[in-house]
Amino acid sequence: MSVNNTTHDTRDRLLDTAERLFAERGVDATSLRHITTEAEANLASVNYHFGSKEALFRQIFARRIGPINEERLRLLDDCEANNPPTLECVLESFLGPALRLRLDPDHGGEHFMCLLGRLFSEPSEWKMLIMDEFKEVYQRFATALQKAQPDLIPQDIAWRLFFTIGSMAHLMSGGDLLKTFTQGRCDPSDVEGALNQLVQFSAAGFRASSHGDTP
């Protein structure tokens, strides 16, 4: 094996291991030493490939969120071929690519889903580091949702999209609890079934009447 291949393998192993441990333990609870021990690498390799824990964290998201957001925008373009786009189509375009990551043949999608859900559902400053990854997607989808539900004021769109993201995060991080509570009748590992439930739930929220700025 060449030096370049060995270096690349070490970098990927660090990314995969950090992603799994961050998902399982949380970012703050996972030290670089935990990561390098599990990845069978030395501490200097983290500095060589990434420079810091923060840079390692950012790279985990860059390699996953980039393709997810590209797929979201591709699906949204298809939705917007109909003018106005349907609410369910816009919501499925936003939610589907993240939930379907569980089926990623890479075998790491489930860890990233759990990490993403953990970040959005738990108090943490780490999520603020990845906001730049979502800005373009947020604006595009907020605009599309406004077209789909023109009676809503922008503040309502923002609130309801925020709640939708929260529901998605809860499903990602705690969906297994639902399977336990329902004795397997509701199974989040059925990604398309879970997606359909989440889209219908979110669509009902977006269709609720608006009270505008009334307290």
Side-chain angles (χ1 to χ4, degrees), residues 91 94-95 160-168 198 202 206:
L91 289 171
F94 181 76
L95 298 167
R160 296 175 198 198
L161 182 53
F162 182 75
F163 293 146
T164 294
I165 293 170
S167 297
M168 177 182 69
L198 184 54
S202 300
F206 273 94

Side-chain angles (χ1 to χ4, degrees), residues 11-24:
R11 184 178 187 278
D12 286 347
R13 199 163 66 247
L14 287 167
L15 285 168
D16 291 341
T17 302
E19 181 179 80
R20 175 174 59 82
L21 292 177
F22 288 162
E24 292 173 354

Side-chain angles (χ1 to χ4, degrees), residues 121-137:
S121 61
E122 296 180 358
S124 171
E125 294 183 1
W126 288 96
K127 59 176 166 276
M128 301 309 297
L129 296 177
I130 60 170
M131 287 300 100
D132 285 344
E133 302 285 344
F134 293 99
K135 283 181 179 177
E136 178 188 0
V137 166

Side-chain angles (χ1 to χ4, degrees), residues 38-102:
E38 292 268 344
E40 298 182 346
N42 58 53
L43 201 56
S45 64
V46 175
N47 292 326
Y48 175 77
H49 289 289
F50 306 104
S52 66
K53 182 178 178 179
E54 178 180 317
L56 171 60
F57 174 82
R58 288 179 181 273
Q59 190 56 45
I60 288 170
F61 274 83
R63 71 170 183 163
R64 297 288 193 190
I65 289 294
I68 288 175
N69 284 343
E70 287 175 8
E71 179 66 2
R72 281 171 164 163
L73 295 176
R74 184 189 70 78
L75 292 171
L76 183 59
D77 286 341
D78 291 343
C79 285
E80 291 183 324
N82 299 313
N83 194 16
T86 66
L87 178 59
E88 283 78 6
C89 186
V90 175
L91 289 171
E92 184 168 339
S93 298
F94 181 76
L95 298 167
L99 295 185
R100 291 189 184 108
L101 190 61
R102 184 182 289 273

